[in-house]
Amino acid sequence: SSGASASTVASGGGSKKSGATGSKKGSALRSETQRGSVAGSQAGAGAAPIVVEPVQRELSQLYTNKESSWGFEKLFDIGKLYKFSTGYMKCPGNPPNPEKLQDGFVVVNVEIFSAAGIHMEEPELDKDLTQNGRQRVNWTVHNIKRLCDKIGPKKRLSSAEFDSDGNWYFDLYPNGFNTPEGEGMMSLYLHSTRRQVELGEVYKVQFKLGLKKINPLPEDAELDTYDPVYFPPSSSCVSVFTPKQKCFGKQRYVNLNTIAKGRGNPEGTKEFTIGTFESGGGGAVVAALG
C-alpha cells in the first residue's frame, strides 16, 4: 500500500495547496509567479492587471488495491472559469480575445508527496462501550520508526474512515505538526470525512486520545482500576465539528520515546510497542468518543 498527499492548485497559471505536507512555501512562490504572468498577458498592454486568486485543494489519503482513486468532486466553479474577468482561463490572441474564451486553457499543478510500503490497519471499534458510555476506536500503525525517519514535519498519514456517531478518520503526523524540530512529539487529530463536510453536518464531540497498552506493566495490570489504554495528561478534547471546523486533536499527542521505551524500566517490557521498535514495531492509537 502507499500513502500519499496531493496538493492541487488551479489558477490562470496553476493551483496548489500543501497544508499538511509541509511544502507551502514552495507552492506559494510558484503560484505567485504564475499569477503574475497570467495577469500581465491576460490584461494586455496598458490595461490594469487581473489579480488571479489560486484555487487550492489538499488531499491526504491511503491508496490501496481496494481504494485506488481519490480526488475532488467539486474542485472548481465552472461559471468562474468561463468569466474573462476572473483570469482563470488563458485566452488565445495577443492581446487576449475575450470572444475566444471557450478556446482557452487552464493549467493545473499537482504536487504529490508519496510514502510507499506503509502498513496501517483499518480503525476498529471495540465491541462494548466503556463504563462511562464511550466508544473506543483503535487504529494500529506499523513500522513507526521508519515512518518518522522517512516522513518529515507537517506531513501526515490518514486512516481509513469509520463510523461512530458521525463519519471520521484520523490524521497522524509522525514528526508533529508545527512542533519544535527534534522534540520528538507526534500530533494526532480526529477529522470529519469529506461526505460529512459536504452534507453540512454539525457535531459536538467529547473525546480522549490515548495509546493501547500492548504489553501492560505487571504492576499496572494487577490494579483493580486497570485500563488497557494509556491516556496522556491533557488528552481530553471537546470540539464542535462543522464544515469549516473539520478537525480537532492534540498537537502534542505523545513523544516518540514513550512508544519506543514505554513508561517503565527502559530495559524491560516496551509497554506500547507491537514487536520490536527498531525493526518494524508499531503501536495502536486509541480515541474514546462519547
Side-chain angles (χ1 to χ4, degrees):
S1 62
S2 174
S5 63
S7 304
T8 305
V9 183
S11 75
S15 93
K16 149 194 183 252
K17 183 179 181 231
S18 178
T21 56
S23 27
K24 273 184 180 175
K25 186 174 182 182
S27 80
L29 289 174
R30 188 166 68 183
S31 295
E32 290 292 341
T33 301
Q34 293 172 343
R35 199 182 314 169
S37 65
V38 171
S41 61
Q42 194 89 319
I50 298 174
V51 178
V52 182
E53 291 297 329
V55 176
Q56 302 180 338
R57 297 290 186 268
E58 175 229 341
L59 176 71
S60 177
Q61 291 291 348
L62 181 69
Y63 287 75
T64 68
N65 58 341
K66 293 182 179 179
E67 299 286 353
S68 59
S69 177
W70 294 93
F72 301 96
E73 296 175 356
K74 298 179 181 180
L75 176 63
F76 190 71
D77 183 351
I78 198 169
K80 292 182 179 179
L81 185 66
Y82 287 103
K83 188 176 181 181
F84 179 77
S85 61
T86 63
Y88 289 109
M89 184 78 81
K90 197 165 185 178
C91 296
N94 188 18
N97 185 353
E99 295 181 358
K100 295 185 177 181
L101 184 64
Q102 67 273 21
D103 297 326
F105 65 91
V106 294
V107 178
V108 178
N109 291 340
V110 180
E111 288 195 2
I112 298 175
F113 168 79
S114 177
I118 295 174
H119 183 194
M120 299 184 295
E121 299 178 14
E122 293 189 3
E124 183 178 354
L125 277 64
D126 283 356
K127 293 181 181 179
D128 300 317
L129 300 180
T130 63
Q131 290 184 350
N132 57 2
R134 291 180 181 265
Q135 173 68 67
R136 289 185 174 177
V137 185
N138 306 272
W139 179 38
T140 301
V141 180
H142 298 275
N143 210 341
I144 291 178
K145 183 178 184 301
R146 178 175 174 271
L147 292 178
C148 292
D149 291 341
K150 187 172 183 178
I151 298 178
K154 294 186 180 180
K155 293 181 173 62
R156 70 183 178 183
L157 299 173
S158 298
S159 75
E161 298 176 359
F162 62 90
D163 292 309
S164 178
D165 290 330
N167 197 223
W168 316 97
Y169 62 89
F170 293 114
D171 274 341
L172 174 68
Y173 295 79
N175 280 296
F177 180 75
N178 286 342
T179 55
E181 187 174 352
E183 187 181 46
M185 293 300 299
M186 305 175 76
S187 303
L188 180 66
Y189 298 89
L190 182 68
H191 205 296
S192 289
T193 62
R194 181 174 59 187
R195 180 182 63 186
Q196 187 161 283
V197 170
E198 291 180 350
L199 290 175
E201 296 178 347
V202 177
Y203 293 88
K204 183 177 181 180
V205 183
Q206 295 180 342
F207 61 100
K208 298 173 68 176
L209 297 173
L211 275 173
K212 189 171 184 178
K213 299 174 183 175
I214 306 299
N215 305 298
L217 300 176
E219 59 271 25
D220 189 15
E222 293 174 1
L223 295 174
D224 293 335
T225 57
Y226 170 71
D227 190 331
V229 178
Y230 164 64
F231 292 102
S234 303
S235 60
S236 297
C237 303
V238 59
S239 179
V240 177
F241 290 80
T242 70
K244 292 185 177 180
Q245 175 65 43
K246 296 178 282 189
C247 67
F248 196 83
K250 288 299 178 180
Q251 183 184 36
R252 301 174 61 83
Y253 163 57
V254 71
N255 195 284
L256 183 61
N257 280 334
T258 302
I259 298 178
K261 300 178 180 179
R263 298 175 297 159
N265 183 350
E267 304 302 323
T269 301
K270 304 301 185 288
E271 188 178 6
F272 305 112
T273 305
I274 302 171
T276 304
F277 181 80
E278 296 294 333
S279 56
V285 304
V286 180
L289 308 174

